[in-house]
Amino acid sequence: MNFVDGEILCIDKPLGWTSFDAVKRLRGSLTRRLGLKKIKVGHAGTLDPLATGVMIVCTGRATKRIDELQAGVKEYVATIALGATTPSYDLETEIDATYPTEHITRELVDEVLAGFHGRIEQVPPAFSACKIGGRRAYDLARKGREVELKPKVLVIDCIELLSFAPTEITVRVVCSKGTYIRALARDIGAALGSGGHLTALRRTRVGDITIDKCLSVQQAAALIDTVEIEMPESTD
């Protein structure tokens, strides 16, 4: 493998790691193995620390393909707790309000989910990497500042109910780039008249890359340590 000319590693990001944590771990393995002070390493599509699953890591000149790769359709399996909301729309922050769930039926959930199929408008979470005046929205939100973000047009190709309980549902979502599943959980909860927040998220596909094709971070690091290495004449 030639990591300087460019390779693409598909990893299963573990729970609790930031996307940067995973990139940093693999960059460290590469610099040690190649004997270089630095090498370009980047990822195509950020995953929140509380999410797991497919993350594409590009090395060397393959980093030029990041925009192309992260534009691919994405598939997620998401668990949404109903009857409560949090400021971050997931478990990063504490519950700030509770709502009744007795009225929620499987039929109601199916009806609501159908309304999210196709082109939709979505307001990104305040706890997101969107920029406001050059600053990340999550930096402002974590300081208690009010954050106003404009809605974005997205495409939901498929939204399927996998399991149902009055206080929790699990859905499979196939969607376009830029979709915030946390915001989708918020909007589904609101449409059900109950509130909702994300409690688990797994990205199972990016473009043609599925979770079964991914290595753990440890397996990817071991691959870097043991694979036959090709070095280019120039390392610019």
Side-chain angles (χ1 to χ4, degrees):
M1 300 181 78
N2 191 322
F3 291 102
V4 176
D5 278 348
E7 298 287 351
I8 295 173
L9 299 171
C10 305
I11 67 166
D12 182 353
K13 189 194 79 66
L15 184 67
W17 287 45
T18 66
S19 297
F20 178 76
D21 289 337
V23 167
K24 182 179 178 181
R25 173 72 171 83
L26 298 182
R27 184 188 289 116
S29 295
L30 283 167
T31 54
R32 287 192 300 272
R33 179 73 199 279
L34 300 176
L36 300 174
K37 289 185 178 179
K38 62 180 182 178
I39 181 173
K40 290 182 179 179
V41 184
H43 65 277
T46 300
L47 276 176
D48 292 333
L50 297 179
T52 65
V54 179
M55 195 176 94
I56 302 172
V57 177
C58 301
T59 77
R61 298 183 182 99
T63 54
K64 295 177 181 178
R65 295 188 59 194
I66 284 177
D67 287 345
E68 165 204 341
L69 293 167
Q70 67 184 8
V73 169
K74 297 173 177 64
E75 179 184 71
Y76 298 89
V77 173
T79 301
I80 302 168
L82 303 174
T85 57
T86 72
S88 60
Y89 314 144
D90 65 4
L91 295 176
E92 181 182 340
T93 53
E94 298 292 327
I95 289 172
D96 60 358
T98 58
Y99 304 86
T101 59
E102 293 81 3
H103 65 286
I104 298 176
T105 63
R106 189 181 187 101
E107 291 72 25
L108 177 60
V109 173
D110 284 332
E111 179 183 335
V112 164
L113 293 183
F116 288 91
H117 185 267
R119 291 173 64 85
I120 66 168
E121 283 194 348
Q122 182 186 83
V123 178
F127 287 77
S128 70
C130 294
K131 287 190 175 181
I132 301 176
R135 299 185 64 183
R136 298 291 185 185
Y138 58 69
D139 287 332
L140 299 173
R142 285 169 182 156
K143 291 177 180 178
R145 301 273 294 277
E146 187 172 339
V147 175
E148 291 188 15
L149 295 168
K150 295 180 180 180
K152 296 181 178 181
V153 176
L154 308 167
V155 178
I156 306 294
D157 294 311
C158 174
I159 184 163
E160 174 189 6
L161 182 62
L162 299 180
S163 68
F164 166 80
T167 58
E168 182 181 271
I169 59 173
T170 299
V171 296
R172 182 177 74 91
V173 181
V174 181
C175 56
S176 63
K177 172 190 173 183
T179 303
Y180 283 93
I181 307 300
R182 286 182 289 133
L184 189 62
R186 169 203 64 196
D187 295 340
I188 290 171
L192 288 168
S194 175
H197 63 281
L198 195 67
T199 57
L201 181 64
R202 185 155 177 77
R203 188 156 68 192
T204 51
R205 177 165 66 92
V206 176
D208 295 329
I209 298 170
T210 51
I211 193 67
D212 58 294
K213 298 176 182 176
C214 294
L215 303 173
S216 69
V217 174
Q218 292 76 16
Q219 287 172 329
L223 174 68
I224 291 168
D225 289 340
T226 58
V227 74
E228 185 176 343
I229 297 289
E230 296 178 30
M231 291 293 290
E233 292 182 6
S234 171
T235 58
D236 61 340

